[in-house]
Amino acid sequence: YKQSNNGFDVQAGSVVNYTFSFTDFTQFPMKVSSVEASTPGFDVLYVFPKLPYSIDPKESANFTAIIKTPDSSYSGPLQINASVSTS
């Protein structure tokens, strides 16, 4: 799963909160096992709620990632990748 934010503006070396949600449209429980930033220079320090996290069918869950930004100012897209599976 990938989620992109096109208007992400941050100062160099800061720590920011980024909130996103997942909805399970399947008939099976969905498990979110990891979340990473694939935009160079960004590092996901922690995710709330704690991972792995299960989402019931037809339900949604909000997540907040604590992200360390690059060592230089950045303006542009931030891409978040998550490892998600159903069982």
Side-chain angles (χ1 to χ4, degrees), residues 23-34:
T23 300
D24 184 355
F25 293 104
T26 73
Q27 299 176 6
F28 307 100
M30 181 172 80
K31 182 170 79 173
V32 180
S33 55
S34 68

Side-chain angles (χ1 to χ4, degrees), residues 6-28:
N6 292 329
F8 204 76
D9 296 312
V10 293
Q11 293 182 341
S14 58
V15 176
V16 297
N17 294 347
Y18 180 68
T19 301
F20 55 95
S21 63
F22 287 110
T23 300
D24 184 355
F25 293 104
T26 73
Q27 299 176 6
F28 307 100

Side-chain angles (χ1 to χ4, degrees), residues 47-66:
V47 176
F48 297 99
K50 186 178 177 183
L51 301 178
Y53 188 85
S54 294
I55 303 171
D56 291 329
K58 311 298 183 207
E59 296 293 326
S60 297
N62 290 322
F63 294 85
T64 298
I66 309 303

Side-chain angles (χ1 to χ4, degrees), residues 1-8 18-22 35-39 42 67 74-82:
Y1 177 85
K2 295 180 182 180
Q3 182 169 353
S4 182
N5 178 329
N6 292 329
F8 204 76
Y18 180 68
T19 301
F20 55 95
S21 63
F22 287 110
V35 173
E36 299 175 342
S38 63
T39 304
F42 287 83
I67 300 173
Y74 179 85
S75 179
L78 170 64
Q79 186 166 323
I80 301 291
N81 296 336

